[in-house]
Amino acid sequence: MSKPTVAVLRPDDDRITEAVKYLRSLGVTAVADPMLTIRLTGKTLGAADYCVFTSRTGVEIAVEQNWYSSKSTVCAVGQQTASALRDDGIPVDIVPSTFTSTGLVEELAAEVDGSTVEIARSAHGSDVLIQGLETAGADVYETQLYRLDRPTDAGRSVTLATDGQLDGILFSSPRTVNHFCEIAAEQTGLPALQRGMTKTIIGAIGLPTARAIWGHGITVDVIPDTVGFSQLADRTVEEIDTRN
């Protein structure tokens, strides 16, 4: 029996390398096709009563800028973001029990009235966090540290998916989904992609990513209970094995 072929679309940094290594450990033939490349904006963090980090990438950029304010209450959306902060010696004060922007708003709503809040993130974040904290009475500043662009050489996985040659695809962010489907539209059209993926197991790392997939008329087969790549890979490969 041949190994399942699974496409992984993580950013074109160490995350794609780690993802391929992990998939191979599961006995999978991994197709690495990064759908995101990070472009720095050149903006820098200041000082605020609360500083919110929403991704590991944002943490890495802040560390490169030698950012740290002992007077700031540091908040992290998700355990991976929190771990990245702690690994670089930055204490984390608040991690919401629900790893979403809405979860952080609920966590902070009762205490940020009259406070300044700086949100360190990409240029593609939703308005949920800003609007929720402003409604709670905070003075909110968004610092867009980076953009997530589409690599010029992305698309190998789209061609394979359209041809029905992928057993699984791992989507790890809404923007990854959008770039994947943009390429499909440019190649042979979204309907051809949808037809080619009728037997492909589609894994989404969380509900926002799943919603982006559904928005393109594609079925989602796997949404792990926890937000983490290894869980996404495990569950998707298990589903492939079950159906085979």
Side-chain angles (χ1 to χ4, degrees):
M1 184 175 177
S2 61
K3 294 180 179 180
T5 301
V6 178
V8 56
L9 317 174
R10 305 215 78 189
D12 59 352
D13 53 24
D14 61 329
R15 279 169 286 189
I16 195 78
T17 304
E18 293 168 1
V20 168
K21 183 178 180 180
Y22 189 77
L23 283 169
R24 287 173 177 166
S25 75
L26 299 178
V28 165
T29 298
V31 175
D33 190 14
M35 286 287 156
L36 300 174
T37 189
I38 297 166
R39 308 289 186 199
L40 302 186
T41 63
K43 295 182 179 180
T44 58
L45 292 173
D49 298 321
Y50 293 79
C51 188
V52 177
F53 290 91
T54 64
S55 70
R56 190 179 96 177
T57 300
V59 172
E60 291 170 350
I61 295 170
V63 169
E64 288 172 2
Q65 294 177 354
N66 293 317
W67 176 89
Y68 178 64
S69 174
S70 60
K71 296 180 180 179
S72 294
T73 297
V74 177
C75 309
V77 178
Q79 290 293 352
Q80 290 185 329
T81 304
S83 294
L85 285 160
R86 294 185 183 113
D87 288 346
D88 283 300
I90 299 175
V92 180
D93 301 296
I94 296 174
V95 182
S97 54
T98 303
F99 300 157
T100 63
S101 294
T102 301
L104 184 60
V105 169
E106 292 172 352
E107 193 88 15
L108 296 179
E111 63 181 82
V112 295
D113 187 16
S115 300
T116 56
V117 179
E118 184 166 27
I119 303 171
R121 63 180 182 178
S122 78
H124 316 288
S126 73
D127 292 332
V128 171
L129 196 51
I130 295 174
Q131 291 175 352
L133 293 173
E134 286 180 340
T135 299
D139 191 4
V140 183
Y141 302 88
E142 180 189 36
T143 301
Q144 297 178 354
L145 295 173
Y146 62 100
R147 295 186 55 80
L148 294 169
D149 294 337
R150 193 179 99 189
T152 56
D153 58 351
R156 179 188 175 203
S157 62
V158 179
T159 302
L160 291 172
T162 301
D163 292 341
Q165 296 183 40
L166 291 179
D167 297 293
I169 304 175
L170 306 177
F171 289 101
S172 53
S173 73
R175 197 155 187 84
T176 294
V177 176
N178 293 337
H179 286 172
F180 184 89
C181 292
E182 283 172 8
I183 294 171
E186 293 165 5
Q187 289 184 352
T188 57
L190 199 55
L193 175 69
Q194 293 164 341
R195 290 192 296 271
M197 295 200 305
T198 53
K199 294 183 179 180
T200 304
I201 304 302
I202 306 299
I205 208 164
L207 275 177
T209 301
R211 291 190 188 102
I213 298 169
W214 292 324
H216 290 284
I218 298 169
T219 300
V220 178
D221 302 287
V222 173
I223 308 174
D225 296 330
T226 57
V227 179
F229 179 79
S230 60
Q231 291 87 346
L232 175 64
D234 290 344
R235 287 279 311 280
T236 302
V237 172
E238 287 170 6
E239 187 65 21
I240 292 170
D241 291 341
T242 297
R243 297 198 188 186
N244 288 341

mmCIF file of all heavy atoms in Angstrom, residues 177-226:
data_model
loop_
_atom_site.group_PDB
_atom_site.id
_atom_site.type_symbol
_atom_site.label_atom_id
_atom_site.label_comp_id
_atom_site.label_asym_id
_atom_site.label_seq_id
_atom_site.Cartn_x
_atom_site.Cartn_y
_atom_site.Cartn_z
ATOM 1 N N VAL A 177 -5.858 29.598 3.070
ATOM 2 C CA VAL A 177 -7.007 29.137 2.269
ATOM 3 C C VAL A 177 -7.248 30.078 1.095
ATOM 4 O O VAL A 177 -7.425 29.648 -0.055
ATOM 5 C CB VAL A 177 -8.279 29.056 3.135
ATOM 6 C CG1 VAL A 177 -9.483 28.679 2.280
ATOM 7 C CG2 VAL A 177 -8.100 28.072 4.274
ATOM 8 N N ASN A 178 -7.262 31.372 1.378
ATOM 9 C CA ASN A 178 -7.552 32.349 0.337
ATOM 10 C C ASN A 178 -6.503 32.328 -0.771
ATOM 11 O O ASN A 178 -6.832 32.388 -1.962
ATOM 12 C CB ASN A 178 -7.656 33.748 0.944
ATOM 13 C CG ASN A 178 -8.854 33.884 1.866
ATOM 14 O OD1 ASN A 178 -9.827 33.138 1.751
ATOM 15 N ND2 ASN A 178 -8.803 34.821 2.798
ATOM 16 N N HIS A 179 -5.229 32.225 -0.396
ATOM 17 C CA HIS A 179 -4.169 32.162 -1.403
ATOM 18 C C HIS A 179 -4.288 30.894 -2.240
ATOM 19 O O HIS A 179 -4.113 30.930 -3.464
ATOM 20 C CB HIS A 179 -2.799 32.221 -0.733
ATOM 21 C CG HIS A 179 -2.452 33.588 -0.228
ATOM 22 N ND1 HIS A 179 -1.332 33.831 0.546
ATOM 23 C CD2 HIS A 179 -3.067 34.786 -0.372
ATOM 24 C CE1 HIS A 179 -1.276 35.120 0.844
ATOM 25 N NE2 HIS A 179 -2.326 35.706 0.314
ATOM 26 N N PHE A 180 -4.573 29.779 -1.601
ATOM 27 C CA PHE A 180 -4.741 28.497 -2.293
ATOM 28 C C PHE A 180 -5.847 28.598 -3.337
ATOM 29 O O PHE A 180 -5.677 28.190 -4.497
ATOM 30 C CB PHE A 180 -5.062 27.415 -1.250
ATOM 31 C CG PHE A 180 -5.161 26.019 -1.794
ATOM 32 C CD1 PHE A 180 -4.041 25.213 -1.881
ATOM 33 C CD2 PHE A 180 -6.379 25.496 -2.190
ATOM 34 C CE1 PHE A 180 -4.127 23.905 -2.360
ATOM 35 C CE2 PHE A 180 -6.487 24.202 -2.673
ATOM 36 C CZ PHE A 180 -5.355 23.396 -2.756
ATOM 37 N N CYS A 181 -6.979 29.163 -2.942
ATOM 38 C CA CYS A 181 -8.127 29.263 -3.852
ATOM 39 C C CYS A 181 -7.928 30.333 -4.920
ATOM 40 O O CYS A 181 -8.442 30.208 -6.033
ATOM 41 C CB CYS A 181 -9.408 29.519 -3.057
ATOM 42 S SG CYS A 181 -9.906 28.097 -2.039
ATOM 43 N N GLU A 182 -7.160 31.376 -4.601
ATOM 44 C CA GLU A 182 -6.819 32.382 -5.619
ATOM 45 C C GLU A 182 -6.018 31.740 -6.752
ATOM 46 O O GLU A 182 -6.266 31.999 -7.937
ATOM 47 C CB GLU A 182 -5.984 33.502 -4.989
ATOM 48 C CG GLU A 182 -6.779 34.499 -4.166
ATOM 49 C CD GLU A 182 -5.857 35.467 -3.421
ATOM 50 O OE1 GLU A 182 -4.618 35.437 -3.686
ATOM 51 O OE2 GLU A 182 -6.352 36.229 -2.583
ATOM 52 N N ILE A 183 -5.058 30.897 -6.372
ATOM 53 C CA ILE A 183 -4.246 30.211 -7.383
ATOM 54 C C ILE A 183 -5.122 29.292 -8.226
ATOM 55 O O ILE A 183 -4.984 29.236 -9.459
ATOM 56 C CB ILE A 183 -3.105 29.423 -6.717
ATOM 57 C CG1 ILE A 183 -2.117 30.384 -6.053
ATOM 58 C CG2 ILE A 183 -2.376 28.545 -7.731
ATOM 59 C CD1 ILE A 183 -1.076 29.713 -5.182
ATOM 60 N N ALA A 184 -6.040 28.581 -7.573
ATOM 61 C CA ALA A 184 -6.946 27.693 -8.312
ATOM 62 C C ALA A 184 -7.763 28.477 -9.330
ATOM 63 O O ALA A 184 -7.946 28.039 -10.475
ATOM 64 C CB ALA A 184 -7.866 26.961 -7.338
ATOM 65 N N ALA A 185 -8.257 29.642 -8.913
ATOM 66 C CA ALA A 185 -9.057 30.474 -9.813
ATOM 67 C C ALA A 185 -8.226 30.938 -11.004
ATOM 68 O O ALA A 185 -8.732 31.039 -12.134
ATOM 69 C CB ALA A 185 -9.613 31.675 -9.056
ATOM 70 N N GLU A 186 -6.941 31.187 -10.775
ATOM 71 C CA GLU A 186 -6.050 31.634 -11.845
ATOM 72 C C GLU A 186 -5.656 30.488 -12.776
ATOM 73 O O GLU A 186 -5.392 30.707 -13.962
ATOM 74 C CB GLU A 186 -4.776 32.251 -11.244
ATOM 75 C CG GLU A 186 -5.033 33.551 -10.485
ATOM 76 C CD GLU A 186 -3.857 33.937 -9.599
ATOM 77 O OE1 GLU A 186 -2.821 33.240 -9.647
ATOM 78 O OE2 GLU A 186 -3.979 34.921 -8.847
ATOM 79 N N GLN A 187 -5.621 29.270 -12.246
ATOM 80 C CA GLN A 187 -5.204 28.120 -13.049
ATOM 81 C C GLN A 187 -6.349 27.584 -13.902
ATOM 82 O O GLN A 187 -6.444 27.882 -15.084
ATOM 83 C CB GLN A 187 -4.644 27.023 -12.139
ATOM 84 C CG GLN A 187 -3.293 27.356 -11.530
ATOM 85 C CD GLN A 187 -2.716 26.209 -10.720
ATOM 86 O OE1 GLN A 187 -3.373 25.194 -10.471
ATOM 87 N NE2 GLN A 187 -1.477 26.356 -10.276
ATOM 88 N N THR A 188 -7.218 26.806 -13.311
ATOM 89 C CA THR A 188 -8.298 26.176 -14.083
ATOM 90 C C THR A 188 -9.684 26.537 -13.569
ATOM 91 O O THR A 188 -10.685 26.058 -14.112
ATOM 92 C CB THR A 188 -8.138 24.643 -14.059
ATOM 93 O OG1 THR A 188 -8.115 24.200 -12.697
ATOM 94 C CG2 THR A 188 -6.856 24.220 -14.743
ATOM 95 N N GLY A 189 -9.737 27.336 -12.510
ATOM 96 C CA GLY A 189 -11.026 27.724 -11.950
ATOM 97 C C GLY A 189 -11.371 26.938 -10.704
ATOM 98 O O GLY A 189 -10.967 25.779 -10.547
ATOM 99 N N LEU A 190 -12.126 27.569 -9.803
ATOM 100 C CA LEU A 190 -12.491 26.939 -8.534
ATOM 101 C C LEU A 190 -13.345 25.685 -8.709
ATOM 102 O O LEU A 190 -13.158 24.704 -7.977
ATOM 103 C CB LEU A 190 -13.198 27.956 -7.643
ATOM 104 C CG LEU A 190 -13.259 27.646 -6.145
ATOM 105 C CD1 LEU A 190 -11.874 27.392 -5.575
ATOM 106 C CD2 LEU A 190 -13.943 28.780 -5.403
ATOM 107 N N PRO A 191 -14.297 25.644 -9.666
ATOM 108 C CA PRO A 191 -15.089 24.412 -9.843
ATOM 109 C C PRO A 191 -14.219 23.193 -10.153
ATOM 110 O O PRO A 191 -14.495 22.092 -9.667
ATOM 111 C CB PRO A 191 -16.007 24.756 -11.019
ATOM 112 C CG PRO A 191 -16.177 26.243 -10.932
ATOM 113 C CD PRO A 191 -14.824 26.742 -10.502
ATOM 114 N N ALA A 192 -13.166 23.374 -10.938
ATOM 115 C CA ALA A 192 -12.272 22.247 -11.255
ATOM 116 C C ALA A 192 -11.562 21.775 -9.996
ATOM 117 O O ALA A 192 -11.376 20.572 -9.779
ATOM 118 C CB ALA A 192 -11.257 22.662 -12.314
ATOM 119 N N LEU A 193 -11.154 22.716 -9.143
ATOM 120 C CA LEU A 193 -10.530 22.344 -7.874
ATOM 121 C C LEU A 193 -11.503 21.573 -7.000
ATOM 122 O O LEU A 193 -11.144 20.539 -6.418
ATOM 123 C CB LEU A 193 -10.058 23.602 -7.137
ATOM 124 C CG LEU A 193 -9.490 23.381 -5.726
ATOM 125 C CD1 LEU A 193 -8.163 22.643 -5.789
ATOM 126 C CD2 LEU A 193 -9.329 24.712 -4.995
ATOM 127 N N GLN A 194 -12.716 22.062 -6.895
ATOM 128 C CA GLN A 194 -13.724 21.395 -6.063
ATOM 129 C C GLN A 194 -13.966 19.969 -6.537
ATOM 130 O O GLN A 194 -14.081 19.047 -5.726
ATOM 131 C CB GLN A 194 -15.016 22.206 -6.087
ATOM 132 C CG GLN A 194 -14.899 23.564 -5.398
ATOM 133 C CD GLN A 194 -16.039 24.499 -5.747
ATOM 134 O OE1 GLN A 194 -16.745 24.310 -6.749
ATOM 135 N NE2 GLN A 194 -16.229 25.532 -4.938
ATOM 136 N N ARG A 195 -14.029 19.766 -7.843
ATOM 137 C CA ARG A 195 -14.227 18.408 -8.380
ATOM 138 C C ARG A 195 -13.030 17.517 -8.072
ATOM 139 O O ARG A 195 -13.180 16.339 -7.725
ATOM 140 C CB ARG A 195 -14.453 18.474 -9.898
ATOM 141 C CG ARG A 195 -15.788 19.077 -10.312
ATOM 142 C CD ARG A 195 -16.054 18.831 -11.790
ATOM 143 N NE ARG A 195 -15.062 19.497 -12.644
ATOM 144 C CZ ARG A 195 -15.173 20.734 -13.105
ATOM 145 N NH1 ARG A 195 -16.229 21.472 -12.772
ATOM 146 N NH2 ARG A 195 -14.247 21.245 -13.884
ATOM 147 N N GLY A 196 -11.830 18.069 -8.177
ATOM 148 C CA GLY A 196 -10.624 17.282 -7.949
ATOM 149 C C GLY A 196 -10.426 16.863 -6.504
ATOM 150 O O GLY A 196 -9.745 15.881 -6.219
ATOM 151 N N MET A 197 -11.070 17.589 -5.580
ATOM 152 C CA MET A 197 -10.865 17.319 -4.155
ATOM 153 C C MET A 197 -12.005 16.537 -3.517
ATOM 154 O O MET A 197 -12.089 16.473 -2.292
ATOM 155 C CB MET A 197 -10.661 18.636 -3.395
ATOM 156 C CG MET A 197 -9.408 19.372 -3.786
ATOM 157 S SD MET A 197 -8.870 20.593 -2.537
ATOM 158 C CE MET A 197 -10.343 21.580 -2.351
ATOM 159 N N THR A 198 -12.862 15.929 -4.295
ATOM 160 C CA THR A 198 -14.015 15.226 -3.723
ATOM 161 C C THR A 198 -13.605 14.080 -2.788
ATOM 162 O O THR A 198 -14.333 13.756 -1.847
ATOM 163 C CB THR A 198 -14.925 14.661 -4.832
ATOM 164 O OG1 THR A 198 -14.123 13.864 -5.726
ATOM 165 C CG2 THR A 198 -15.595 15.780 -5.608
ATOM 166 N N LYS A 199 -12.435 13.480 -3.016
ATOM 167 C CA LYS A 199 -11.974 12.383 -2.158
ATOM 168 C C LYS A 199 -10.794 12.789 -1.272
ATOM 169 O O LYS A 199 -10.231 11.956 -0.558
ATOM 170 C CB LYS A 199 -11.581 11.181 -3.019
ATOM 171 C CG LYS A 199 -12.756 10.558 -3.760
ATOM 172 C CD LYS A 199 -12.332 9.325 -4.533
ATOM 173 C CE LYS A 199 -13.512 8.695 -5.259
ATOM 174 N NZ LYS A 199 -13.110 7.476 -6.021
ATOM 175 N N THR A 200 -10.427 14.061 -1.304
ATOM 176 C CA THR A 200 -9.310 14.566 -0.499
ATOM 177 C C THR A 200 -9.798 14.932 0.895
ATOM 178 O O THR A 200 -10.833 15.594 1.042
ATOM 179 C CB THR A 200 -8.688 15.810 -1.159
ATOM 180 O OG1 THR A 200 -8.282 15.489 -2.492
ATOM 181 C CG2 THR A 200 -7.480 16.294 -0.374
ATOM 182 N N ILE A 201 -9.079 14.503 1.916
ATOM 183 C CA ILE A 201 -9.422 14.853 3.288
ATOM 184 C C ILE A 201 -8.887 16.254 3.584
ATOM 185 O O ILE A 201 -7.688 16.503 3.489
ATOM 186 C CB ILE A 201 -8.836 13.842 4.294
ATOM 187 C CG1 ILE A 201 -9.300 12.424 3.951
ATOM 188 C CG2 ILE A 201 -9.219 14.219 5.716
ATOM 189 C CD1 ILE A 201 -10.809 12.252 3.936
ATOM 190 N N ILE A 202 -9.787 17.152 3.952
ATOM 191 C CA ILE A 202 -9.422 18.542 4.201
ATOM 192 C C ILE A 202 -9.384 18.796 5.707
ATOM 193 O O ILE A 202 -10.377 18.612 6.404
ATOM 194 C CB ILE A 202 -10.432 19.508 3.548
ATOM 195 C CG1 ILE A 202 -10.580 19.193 2.054
ATOM 196 C CG2 ILE A 202 -10.000 20.956 3.772
ATOM 197 C CD1 ILE A 202 -9.303 19.333 1.262
ATOM 198 N N GLY A 203 -8.219 19.224 6.191
ATOM 199 C CA GLY A 203 -8.046 19.536 7.604
ATOM 200 C C GLY A 203 -7.897 21.030 7.824
ATOM 201 O O GLY A 203 -7.151 21.693 7.101
ATOM 202 N N ALA A 204 -8.605 21.562 8.811
ATOM 203 C CA ALA A 204 -8.543 22.991 9.152
ATOM 204 C C ALA A 204 -8.115 23.131 10.603
ATOM 205 O O ALA A 204 -8.647 22.447 11.485
ATOM 206 C CB ALA A 204 -9.895 23.660 8.937
ATOM 207 N N ILE A 205 -7.200 24.051 10.881
ATOM 208 C CA ILE A 205 -6.614 24.144 12.216
ATOM 209 C C ILE A 205 -7.565 24.731 13.250
ATOM 210 O O ILE A 205 -7.347 24.604 14.443
ATOM 211 C CB ILE A 205 -5.301 24.948 12.159
ATOM 212 C CG1 ILE A 205 -4.351 24.505 13.280
ATOM 213 C CG2 ILE A 205 -5.569 26.455 12.182
ATOM 214 C CD1 ILE A 205 -2.924 24.939 13.090
ATOM 215 N N GLY A 206 -8.641 25.367 12.830
ATOM 216 C CA GLY A 206 -9.615 25.936 13.768
ATOM 217 C C GLY A 206 -10.823 26.450 13.014
ATOM 218 O O GLY A 206 -10.865 26.414 11.776
ATOM 219 N N LEU A 207 -11.801 26.947 13.739
ATOM 220 C CA LEU A 207 -13.039 27.396 13.102
ATOM 221 C C LEU A 207 -12.847 28.550 12.125
ATOM 222 O O LEU A 207 -13.474 28.554 11.058
ATOM 223 C CB LEU A 207 -14.070 27.760 14.171
ATOM 224 C CG LEU A 207 -14.902 26.593 14.698
ATOM 225 C CD1 LEU A 207 -15.833 27.059 15.811
ATOM 226 C CD2 LEU A 207 -15.710 25.951 13.566
ATOM 227 N N PRO A 208 -12.028 29.575 12.421
ATOM 228 C CA PRO A 208 -11.838 30.635 11.425
ATOM 229 C C PRO A 208 -11.315 30.098 10.096
ATOM 230 O O PRO A 208 -11.762 30.523 9.023
ATOM 231 C CB PRO A 208 -10.828 31.574 12.102
ATOM 232 C CG PRO A 208 -11.060 31.372 13.562
ATOM 233 C CD PRO A 208 -11.353 29.900 13.702
ATOM 234 N N THR A 209 -10.377 29.149 10.166
ATOM 235 C CA THR A 209 -9.846 28.548 8.947
ATOM 236 C C THR A 209 -10.920 27.705 8.253
ATOM 237 O O THR A 209 -11.063 27.741 7.026
ATOM 238 C CB THR A 209 -8.614 27.684 9.269
ATOM 239 O OG1 THR A 209 -7.622 28.502 9.893
ATOM 240 C CG2 THR A 209 -8.025 27.073 8.017
ATOM 241 N N ALA A 210 -11.678 26.957 9.037
ATOM 242 C CA ALA A 210 -12.754 26.153 8.469
ATOM 243 C C ALA A 210 -13.788 27.031 7.767
ATOM 244 O O ALA A 210 -14.276 26.697 6.668
ATOM 245 C CB ALA A 210 -13.420 25.326 9.559
ATOM 246 N N ARG A 211 -14.120 28.148 8.372
ATOM 247 C CA ARG A 211 -15.103 29.051 7.753
ATOM 248 C C ARG A 211 -14.596 29.577 6.409
ATOM 249 O O ARG A 211 -15.364 29.730 5.454
ATOM 250 C CB ARG A 211 -15.415 30.210 8.696
ATOM 251 C CG ARG A 211 -16.190 29.802 9.948
ATOM 252 C CD ARG A 211 -16.667 31.025 10.717
ATOM 253 N NE ARG A 211 -17.228 30.649 12.001
ATOM 254 C CZ ARG A 211 -16.588 30.761 13.162
ATOM 255 N NH1 ARG A 211 -15.356 31.269 13.190
ATOM 256 N NH2 ARG A 211 -17.155 30.392 14.292
ATOM 257 N N ALA A 212 -13.295 29.857 6.347
ATOM 258 C CA ALA A 212 -12.723 30.321 5.078
ATOM 259 C C ALA A 212 -12.836 29.242 4.006
ATOM 260 O O ALA A 212 -13.142 29.535 2.842
ATOM 261 C CB ALA A 212 -11.255 30.717 5.279
ATOM 262 N N ILE A 213 -12.618 27.991 4.392
ATOM 263 C CA ILE A 213 -12.736 26.873 3.443
ATOM 264 C C ILE A 213 -14.178 26.719 2.980
ATOM 265 O O ILE A 213 -14.463 26.598 1.774
ATOM 266 C CB ILE A 213 -12.222 25.569 4.087
ATOM 267 C CG1 ILE A 213 -10.731 25.697 4.436
ATOM 268 C CG2 ILE A 213 -12.436 24.378 3.154
ATOM 269 C CD1 ILE A 213 -10.196 24.572 5.304
ATOM 270 N N TRP A 214 -15.103 26.719 3.927
ATOM 271 C CA TRP A 214 -16.520 26.610 3.570
ATOM 272 C C TRP A 214 -16.948 27.741 2.640
ATOM 273 O O TRP A 214 -17.773 27.548 1.749
ATOM 274 C CB TRP A 214 -17.381 26.629 4.840
ATOM 275 C CG TRP A 214 -17.228 25.430 5.708
ATOM 276 C CD1 TRP A 214 -17.028 24.141 5.294
ATOM 277 C CD2 TRP A 214 -17.270 25.379 7.142
ATOM 278 N NE1 TRP A 214 -16.926 23.295 6.383
ATOM 279 C CE2 TRP A 214 -17.074 24.021 7.527
ATOM 280 C CE3 TRP A 214 -17.449 26.334 8.138
ATOM 281 C CZ2 TRP A 214 -17.064 23.622 8.855
ATOM 282 C CZ3 TRP A 214 -17.427 25.938 9.464
ATOM 283 C CH2 TRP A 214 -17.239 24.602 9.818
ATOM 284 N N GLY A 215 -16.368 28.927 2.858
ATOM 285 C CA GLY A 215 -16.713 30.082 2.039
ATOM 286 C C GLY A 215 -16.359 29.903 0.579
ATOM 287 O O GLY A 215 -16.911 30.591 -0.292
ATOM 288 N N HIS A 216 -15.449 28.966 0.291
ATOM 289 C CA HIS A 216 -15.073 28.672 -1.094
ATOM 290 C C HIS A 216 -15.780 27.416 -1.609
ATOM 291 O O HIS A 216 -15.394 26.876 -2.655
ATOM 292 C CB HIS A 216 -13.558 28.500 -1.207
ATOM 293 C CG HIS A 216 -12.799 29.780 -1.022
ATOM 294 N ND1 HIS A 216 -12.724 30.762 -1.987
ATOM 295 C CD2 HIS A 216 -12.087 30.257 0.036
ATOM 296 C CE1 HIS A 216 -11.990 31.781 -1.548
ATOM 297 N NE2 HIS A 216 -11.595 31.499 -0.315
ATOM 298 N N GLY A 217 -16.794 26.972 -0.878
ATOM 299 C CA GLY A 217 -17.591 25.827 -1.327
ATOM 300 C C GLY A 217 -16.889 24.494 -1.200
ATOM 301 O O GLY A 217 -17.187 23.554 -1.940
ATOM 302 N N ILE A 218 -15.963 24.385 -0.234
ATOM 303 C CA ILE A 218 -15.198 23.157 -0.039
ATOM 304 C C ILE A 218 -15.542 22.569 1.334
ATOM 305 O O ILE A 218 -15.647 23.292 2.320
ATOM 306 C CB ILE A 218 -13.680 23.440 -0.124
ATOM 307 C CG1 ILE A 218 -13.334 23.982 -1.512
ATOM 308 C CG2 ILE A 218 -12.870 22.182 0.181
ATOM 309 C CD1 ILE A 218 -11.929 24.530 -1.623
ATOM 310 N N THR A 219 -15.709 21.264 1.384
ATOM 311 C CA THR A 219 -16.060 20.568 2.616
ATOM 312 C C THR A 219 -14.838 20.424 3.526
ATOM 313 O O THR A 219 -13.724 20.176 3.046
ATOM 314 C CB THR A 219 -16.612 19.165 2.304
ATOM 315 O OG1 THR A 219 -17.781 19.301 1.497
ATOM 316 C CG2 THR A 219 -16.981 18.416 3.578
ATOM 317 N N VAL A 220 -15.058 20.576 4.816
ATOM 318 C CA VAL A 220 -13.996 20.364 5.809
ATOM 319 C C VAL A 220 -14.250 19.036 6.516
ATOM 320 O O VAL A 220 -15.345 18.796 7.015
ATOM 321 C CB VAL A 220 -13.959 21.511 6.835
ATOM 322 C CG1 VAL A 220 -12.880 21.254 7.885
ATOM 323 C CG2 VAL A 220 -13.724 22.844 6.138
ATOM 324 N N ASP A 221 -13.248 18.179 6.558
ATOM 325 C CA ASP A 221 -13.395 16.859 7.168
ATOM 326 C C ASP A 221 -12.857 16.791 8.588
ATOM 327 O O ASP A 221 -13.351 16.005 9.403
ATOM 328 C CB ASP A 221 -12.656 15.811 6.312
ATOM 329 C CG ASP A 221 -13.166 15.772 4.887
ATOM 330 O OD1 ASP A 221 -14.277 15.261 4.675
ATOM 331 O OD2 ASP A 221 -12.453 16.273 4.000
ATOM 332 N N VAL A 222 -11.848 17.606 8.897
ATOM 333 C CA VAL A 222 -11.179 17.523 10.201
ATOM 334 C C VAL A 222 -10.972 18.918 10.779
ATOM 335 O O VAL A 222 -10.419 19.793 10.114
ATOM 336 C CB VAL A 222 -9.811 16.822 10.071
ATOM 337 C CG1 VAL A 222 -9.049 16.896 11.385
ATOM 338 C CG2 VAL A 222 -9.970 15.378 9.626
ATOM 339 N N ILE A 223 -11.450 19.119 12.015
ATOM 340 C CA ILE A 223 -11.158 20.323 12.788
ATOM 341 C C ILE A 223 -10.763 19.843 14.177
ATOM 342 O O ILE A 223 -11.612 19.426 14.960
ATOM 343 C CB ILE A 223 -12.369 21.272 12.900
ATOM 344 C CG1 ILE A 223 -12.965 21.578 11.528
ATOM 345 C CG2 ILE A 223 -11.971 22.565 13.618
ATOM 346 C CD1 ILE A 223 -14.256 22.384 11.596
ATOM 347 N N PRO A 224 -9.476 19.850 14.517
ATOM 348 C CA PRO A 224 -9.054 19.346 15.829
ATOM 349 C C PRO A 224 -9.587 20.200 16.963
ATOM 350 O O PRO A 224 -9.893 21.386 16.784
ATOM 351 C CB PRO A 224 -7.527 19.392 15.762
ATOM 352 C CG PRO A 224 -7.212 20.376 14.696
ATOM 353 C CD PRO A 224 -8.332 20.325 13.711
ATOM 354 N N ASP A 225 -9.702 19.592 18.135
ATOM 355 C CA ASP A 225 -10.219 20.299 19.311
ATOM 356 C C ASP A 225 -9.256 21.371 19.809
ATOM 357 O O ASP A 225 -9.672 22.359 20.407
ATOM 358 C CB ASP A 225 -10.501 19.305 20.444
ATOM 359 C CG ASP A 225 -11.605 18.326 20.074
ATOM 360 O OD1 ASP A 225 -12.489 18.707 19.299
ATOM 361 O OD2 ASP A 225 -11.560 17.181 20.559
ATOM 362 N N THR A 226 -7.970 21.166 19.592
ATOM 363 C CA THR A 226 -6.961 22.134 20.030
ATOM 364 C C THR A 226 -6.257 22.715 18.815
ATOM 365 O O THR A 226 -6.140 22.065 17.778
ATOM 366 C CB THR A 226 -5.932 21.470 20.957
ATOM 367 O OG1 THR A 226 -5.335 20.361 20.267
ATOM 368 C CG2 THR A 226 -6.593 20.976 22.221
#
